[in-house]
């Protein structure tokens, strides 16, 4: 509990500052020691709540992407709370009258909510799953398959490994690409979508990027595959000793 408190005191402000949002409602933090899994969960409907499991990550856990898995986990789940707590426009008006039942901002595709949280845990720490070598190798192998992920619907419905993990791995890379292209994009998408009714995220892509959501994704995936091809070519020309170092 002390470590979680330290992370909240030293790192939470980075998220609040970037997203320009401090939760309107209290955030209830629950530390769960009975669950034998290194993970957590967050919800904002109808109350803001984060549950963190105390089990440390095992060898196959992608939380090993960071030297400090507690920091990664806390910031990941806190990003979910920040997103879900944002309300404006019609949902914001109704929330003022009826309370948390109108906190709809987490009703988005999994690739957006999880991708945004993976982006945040990577952008605001020295670790994060966007930097995890094993995730990246699995993602590269998947995208080299013919016909893999040629439209945005694949992100939440991958028929082959990494299955549901793709919404984290590739969703995080997608958010990173958009943020690098135009700083503040993740914040803009979350904030703009907070005025939408559920499942109208595409309107926020139009508002923040002046681009259709599918066009944004296809541009990203083409760029990612091009970089992957270049990386393979450069790798092939390295001496075997250097190739081993890269692996």
């Amino acid at each position: 509990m002390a470590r979680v408190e330290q992370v909240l005191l030293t790192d939470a402000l980075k998220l609040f500052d970037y997203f320009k949002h401090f939760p309107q409602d209290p955030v209830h933090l629950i530390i769960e020691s009975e669950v034998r899994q290194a993970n957590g969960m967050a919800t904002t409907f109808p109350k803001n709540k984060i549950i963190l499991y105390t089990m440390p990550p095992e060898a196959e856990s992608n939380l090993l992407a960071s030297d400090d898995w507690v920091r990664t986990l806390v910031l990941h789940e806190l990003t979910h709370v920040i997103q879900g707590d944002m309300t404006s426009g019609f949902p914001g008006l109704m929330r003022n009258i009826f309370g948390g039942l109108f906190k709809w901002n987490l009703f988005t595709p999994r690739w957006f909510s999880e991708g945004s949280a993976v982006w945040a845990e990577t952008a605001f720490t020295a670790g994060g799953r966007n930097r995890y070598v094993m995730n990246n190798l699995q993602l590269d192998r998947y995208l080299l398959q013919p016909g893999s992920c040629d439209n945005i619907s694949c992100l939440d419905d991958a028929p082959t490994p990494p299955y549901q993990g793709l919404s984290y791995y590739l969703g995080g890379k997608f958010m990173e690409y958009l943020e690098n292209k135009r700083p503040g994009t993740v914040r803009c998408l979350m904030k703009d979508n907070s005025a939408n009714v559920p499942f109208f995220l595409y309107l926020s892509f139009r508002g923040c990027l002046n681009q259709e959501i599918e066009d944004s994704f296809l541009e990203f995936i083409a760029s990612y595959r091009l970089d992957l091809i270049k990386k393979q070519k450069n790798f092939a020309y390295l001496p075997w000793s250097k190739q081993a170092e890269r692996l």
Side-chain angles (χ1 to χ4, degrees):
M1 184 65 184
R3 181 71 190 102
V4 173
E5 182 179 359
Q6 182 184 14
V7 171
L8 289 172
L9 289 173
T10 58
D11 294 278
L13 289 177
K14 300 175 186 176
L15 294 184
F16 300 147
D17 181 62
Y18 170 80
F19 288 108
K20 309 301 180 189
H21 182 81
F22 189 87
Q24 182 177 329
D25 298 332
V27 180
H28 302 272
L29 180 64
I30 300 171
I31 306 296
E32 177 59 72
S33 60
E34 298 298 321
V35 179
R36 310 304 293 173
Q37 180 183 13
N39 209 333
M41 61 167 290
T43 183
T44 57
F45 187 82
K47 295 181 178 180
N48 295 339
K49 180 169 63 175
I50 293 176
I51 301 176
L52 302 176
Y53 307 142
T54 59
M55 179 77 176
E58 298 177 344
E60 69 276 9
S61 173
N62 54 31
L63 283 174
L64 292 173
S66 174
D67 292 336
D68 189 344
W69 67 272
V70 174
R71 174 179 280 115
T72 298
L73 184 59
V74 170
L75 294 188
H76 183 101
E77 302 304 338
L78 185 57
T79 301
H80 287 321
V81 169
I82 291 172
Q83 178 186 345
D85 188 78
M86 286 183 183
T87 52
S88 59
F90 174 75
L93 176 63
M94 299 304 288
R95 178 183 181 180
N96 289 336
I97 300 172
F98 297 105
L101 293 175
F102 284 83
K103 290 193 287 185
W104 294 341
N105 207 21
L106 273 180
F107 290 94
T108 56
R110 186 172 63 245
W111 63 260
F112 180 72
S113 57
E114 296 299 348
S116 297
V118 167
W119 169 79
E121 74 181 43
T122 306
F124 296 103
T125 73
R129 276 165 274 202
N130 270 357
R131 294 191 180 97
Y132 191 36
V133 173
M134 296 306 297
N135 283 359
N136 292 335
L137 287 174
Q138 189 176 21
L139 182 57
D140 291 352
R141 184 165 58 248
Y142 172 77
L143 290 176
L144 286 173
Q145 299 175 32
S148 62
C149 220
D150 288 332
N151 61 75
I152 201 166
S153 63
C154 75
L155 286 173
D156 286 344
D157 193 27
T160 59
Y163 299 116
Q164 291 188 359
L166 196 65
S167 58
Y168 292 76
Y169 306 166
L170 197 55
K173 295 291 187 181
F174 185 27
M175 292 298 103
E176 182 179 69
Y177 173 82
L178 295 177
E179 186 70 21
N180 289 340
K181 180 181 177 182
R182 183 179 297 180
T185 292
V186 178
R187 174 179 63 240
C188 181
L189 290 171
M190 278 193 191
K191 186 65 176 177
D192 190 86
N193 191 64
S194 72
N196 294 334
V197 296
F199 311 115
F200 277 76
L201 180 65
Y202 71 91
L203 293 177
S204 297
F205 270 76
R206 291 177 184 174
C208 294
L209 295 168
N210 195 29
Q211 192 174 33
E212 295 296 328
I213 189 170
E214 186 71 29
D215 292 339
S216 293
F217 176 74
L218 292 177
E219 177 187 288
F220 153 70
I221 205 70
S223 174
Y224 191 97
R225 283 196 169 111
L226 181 60
D227 288 343
L228 183 55
I229 292 170
K230 290 178 179 178
K231 183 167 61 177
Q232 282 190 313
K233 288 182 177 179
N234 292 336
F235 185 81
Y237 287 111
L238 287 174
W240 281 109
S241 59
K242 293 296 183 180
Q243 290 187 19
E245 289 176 9
R246 293 284 182 91
L247 291 173

